[in-house]
C-alpha cells in the first residue's frame, strides 16, 4: 500500500471514529471577543468533531494544488491554534468549516488562493455578525462588490488559526500588543503608506518607542466600517478625527501640545468657512483647508522638524503659499499656532483682546444708558406739555 493510500485510510478511520465519539457541545464554549455577541448561524449546524481528529491530518504540513497552479496550505500548527483566541476559547474546527461533514472532504471549488479567501470570509459572520454588518458599508467591501478581488476580507487581517485576543475584556480597548501590531497588519496591503507612517511623528513614536498614546491606522480610519478616505464626507469630518486626540487634555498635556486646536480652528476664517460649507453641501468637496492640508496625514512631522515642521518659519510660509501664493513672512506671523493668547503665550494679543473686552462693553453700555436717559427725559417732557390747560384751572379753583 502506498503512503498516500495509507494517509487516506487513516483519515477515514479517524473521521468515522470521531462521528461516534462524544464531544462537548459547542454552545458551552466562551465567546471569542467580549464585544461580539454570539448569534445563530445561517449556515448548516456544525458537525461535532474534536479538534484532535482534524489535527490528526492537518497538524502535518501539506498542500493541495488549485487549478490556478497555486498551492493551498492545509497544515495547522496545533500550538499556535491552541494559543489563539479561537483555540483557547475551545472552538471546534467544524464550527467554522461547517461545509465539512465527512471524509473525504467536499471537492475544493476555489480556482485560486484569492478565490478561496473570498469564498470563506462569510463564515466569520456566524460569530462576528456585528463586525460583518459594519464591513458591508466599508470601502473594502465596496471595492470587492465592484469586482476588485484584492479588496481585504476578514482573513486578510485576522488569521483565524493564529489570531490572538485583540480587545481588553474590561476596557474593550485594544491590548498593547494588538495596538502595536495594527499598522503592520494594514501594511500587508498598504505598504507604501506604512513606510510613510513609520517616518511620521505618530509612526516613529509607535514603532520605535511603543508609545500607546499615538494613533494607529484604525484611530483615524475606523476598523471594520472603514469609510472612503477620498470622499467629501471624510474630508469634512477629518478635523473631528484629529480633535478626538488633540482635545484630550490627559493625553496632550504630557507633550505640552495645545488642546485648543478645534476651538481655534473653528474660530478662524478656515474653520468657519468649512463649517458653513459642511452644513450647506456635505456631499461636495471643499477647497477650504482642513487639518490634513497643512499638516499632512500619513507623513505628519513634529512641529519642530527642520524639513516640514510648521513651527519653523520658512516651512510655515511655504505651506501658506500653497494656497496663498503672495503670502510672505508677515502673512504667516499672524497665525497663533492653535494657541489661545494668554499672559505667557502671545501677551500682546492677549492684552489687546483684554482692552477691547473692557472698552467695547463700557462704551456700548454707556451709549445705551445715555440713549435710555435721553428717551426717558423726552417722554416726560412730552407728557408735561400735552397736559390740558383746563385741568390746571380746575386745580387752581
Amino acid at each position: 500500500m502506498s503512503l498516500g493510500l495509507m494517509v487516506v485510510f487513516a483519515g477515514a478511520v479517524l473521521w468515522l471514529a470521531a462521528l461516534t465519539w462524544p464531544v462537548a457541545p459547542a454552545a458551552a464554549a466562551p465567546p471569542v471577543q467580549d464585544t461580539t455577541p454570539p448569534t445563530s448561524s445561517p449556515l448548516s449546524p456544525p458537525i461535532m468533531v474534536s479538534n484532535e481528529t482534524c489535527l490528526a491530518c492537518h497538524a502535518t504540513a501539506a498542500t493541495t494544488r488549485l487549478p490556478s497552479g497555486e498551492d493551498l496550505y492545509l497544515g495547522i500548527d496545533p500550538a499556535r491554534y491552541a494559543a489563539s483566541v479561537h483555540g483557547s476559547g475551545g472552538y471546534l474546527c467544524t464550527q467554522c468549516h461547517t461545509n465539512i461533514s465527512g471524509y473525504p472532504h467536499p471537492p475544493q471549488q476555489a480556482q485560486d488562493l484569492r478565490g478561496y479567501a473570498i469564498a470563506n470570509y462569510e463564515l466569520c459572520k456566524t460569530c462576528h455578525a456585528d463586525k460583518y454588518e459594519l464591513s458591508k458599508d466599508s470601502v473594502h467591501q465596496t471595492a470587492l462588490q465592484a469586482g476588485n478581488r484584492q479588496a481585504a476580507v476578514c482573513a486578510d487581517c485576522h488569521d483565524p488559526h493564529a489570531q490572538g485576543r485583540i480587545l481588553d475584556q474590561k476596557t474593550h480597548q485594544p491590548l498593547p500588543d494588538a495596538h502595536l501590531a495594527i499598522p503592520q497588519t494594514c501594511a500587508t496591503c498598504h505598504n507604501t503608506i506604512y513606510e510613510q507612517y513609520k517616518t511620521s511623528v505618530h509612526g516613529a513614536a509607535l514603532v520605535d518607542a511603543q508609545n500607546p498614546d499615538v494613533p494607529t491606522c484604525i484611530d483615524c480610519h475606523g476598523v471594520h466600517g472603514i469609510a472612503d478616505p477620498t470622499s467629501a464626507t471624510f474630508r469634512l469630518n477629518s478635523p473631528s478625527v484629529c480633535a478626538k486626540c488633540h482635545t484630550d487634555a490627559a493625553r496632550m498635556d504630557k507633550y505640552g501640545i495645545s488642546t485648543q486646536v478645534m476651538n481655534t480652528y473653528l474660530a478662524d476664517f478656515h474653520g468657519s468657512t468649512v463649517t458653513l460649507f459642511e452644513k450647506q453641501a456635505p456631499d461636495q468637496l471643499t477647497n477650504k483647508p482642513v487639518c490634513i492640508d497643512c499638516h499632512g496625514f500619513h507623513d505628519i512631522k513634529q512641529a519642530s522638524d527642520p524639513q516640514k515642521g510648521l513651527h519653523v518659519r520658512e516651512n510655515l510660509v511655504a505651506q501658506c503659499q500653497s494656497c496663498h501664493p503672495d503670502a510672505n513672512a508677515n502673512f504667516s506671523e499672524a497665525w497663533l499656532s492653535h494657541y489661545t493668547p494668554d499672559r505667557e503665550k502671545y501677551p500682546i494679543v492677549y492684552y489687546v483682546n483684554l482692552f477691547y473686552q473692557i472698552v467695547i462693553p463700557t462704551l456700548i453700555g454707556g451709549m445705551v444708558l445715555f440713549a435710555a436717559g435721553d428717551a426717558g427725559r423726552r417722554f416726560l417732557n412730552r407728557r408735561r406739555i400735552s397736559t390740558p390747560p383746563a385741568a390746571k384751572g380746575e386745580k387752581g379753583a
Side-chain angles (χ1 to χ4, degrees):
M1 181 179 296
S2 66
L3 180 59
L5 290 176
M6 291 177 64
V7 171
V8 171
F9 178 74
V13 170
L14 289 170
W15 191 267
L16 290 173
L19 293 177
T20 58
W21 191 265
V23 177
V32 177
Q33 294 284 335
D34 53 307
T35 57
T36 304
T39 59
S40 59
S41 170
L43 305 174
S44 56
I47 302 298
M48 299 304 174
V49 178
S50 71
N51 289 345
E52 287 74 16
T53 301
C54 302
L55 291 172
C57 293
H58 288 279
T60 304
T63 60
T64 185
R65 182 63 55 89
L66 297 175
S68 63
E70 300 169 298
D71 289 329
L72 176 63
Y73 188 71
L74 302 176
I76 301 296
D77 184 337
R80 289 190 70 194
Y81 180 73
S84 73
V85 69
H86 291 152
S88 62
Y91 280 82
L92 302 175
C93 305
T94 51
Q95 284 183 266
C96 295
H97 300 281
T98 54
N99 60 326
I100 296 178
S101 58
Y103 189 87
H105 301 329
Q108 185 56 249
Q109 301 297 321
Q111 298 298 304
D112 55 21
L113 287 176
R114 197 62 202 155
Y116 182 82
I118 294 173
N120 287 284
Y121 81 91
E122 290 202 353
L123 296 175
C124 302
K125 72 179 179 183
T126 303
C127 294
H128 304 283
D130 55 339
K131 309 297 186 297
Y132 176 80
E133 290 299 321
L134 286 172
S135 72
K136 287 167 65 176
D137 294 328
S138 72
V139 66
H140 291 151
Q141 186 67 16
T142 301
L144 184 66
Q145 295 298 323
N148 184 351
R149 299 176 78 241
Q150 302 307 315
V153 295
C154 307
D156 292 318
C157 303
H158 307 286
D159 182 346
H161 301 124
Q163 178 64 60
R165 182 170 292 282
I166 297 175
L167 300 181
D168 185 290
Q169 291 180 291
K170 292 182 179 178
T171 65
H172 304 293
Q173 296 300 311
L175 292 164
D177 288 346
H179 181 77
L180 293 174
I182 289 168
Q184 295 177 358
T185 300
C186 300
T188 306
C189 296
H190 303 284
N191 188 60
T192 301
I193 292 174
Y194 176 66
E195 292 299 324
Q196 293 178 340
Y197 172 78
K198 280 198 306 182
T199 64
S200 72
V201 63
H202 295 149
L206 183 83
V207 176
D208 299 337
Q210 288 79 51
N211 187 334
D213 290 333
V214 296
T216 65
C217 314
I218 65 171
D219 293 305
C220 301
H221 294 282
V223 188
H224 300 100
I226 298 172
D228 181 359
T230 65
S231 67
T233 301
F234 186 89
R235 177 177 169 77
L236 286 171
N237 288 336
S238 61
S240 298
V241 173
C242 300
K244 189 171 55 178
C245 291
H246 283 274
T247 58
D248 181 358
R251 188 178 306 189
M252 293 297 109
D253 287 352
K254 298 178 187 176
Y255 312 99
I257 298 175
S258 171
T259 56
Q260 297 299 314
V261 289
M262 195 65 172
N263 291 336
T264 54
Y265 173 71
L266 293 177
D268 72 13
F269 173 77
H270 294 157
S272 301
T273 309
V274 169
T275 303
L276 290 173
F277 189 90
E278 183 179 11
K279 293 178 179 177
Q280 295 179 356
D283 298 328
Q284 296 181 25
L285 283 173
T286 173
N287 61 353
K288 303 303 180 292
V290 294
C291 308
I292 57 178
D293 293 312
C294 299
H295 297 278
F297 28 96
H298 300 118
D299 59 347
I300 299 172
K301 298 296 184 183
Q302 195 166 16
S304 59
D305 182 84
Q307 300 298 323
K308 292 188 175 180
L310 295 184
H311 282 184
V312 178
R313 189 174 185 180
E314 292 77 12
N315 298 336
L316 179 60
V317 173
Q319 186 60 53
C320 294
Q321 288 174 340
S322 63
C323 292
H324 306 279
D326 297 331
N328 53 28
N330 290 333
F331 181 88
S332 61
E333 286 295 315
W335 187 53
L336 302 182
S337 184
H338 293 308
Y339 282 92
T340 302
D342 57 27
R343 291 183 178 86
E344 298 178 353
K345 204 126 185 125
Y346 307 109
I348 295 178
V349 178
Y350 169 76
Y351 283 114
V352 169
N353 281 339
L354 185 62
F355 172 78
Y356 281 113
Q357 287 173 2
I358 296 173
V359 170
I360 291 177
T362 302
L363 285 176
I364 294 177
M367 291 174 64
V368 169
L369 287 175
F370 176 80
D374 182 65
R377 170 55 58 187
R378 289 173 182 270
F379 176 75
L380 291 175
N381 289 342
R382 186 169 298 176
R383 286 198 62 184
R384 188 177 296 117
I385 294 172
S386 63
T387 302
K392 293 181 180 177
E394 290 174 0
K395 282 184 178 180

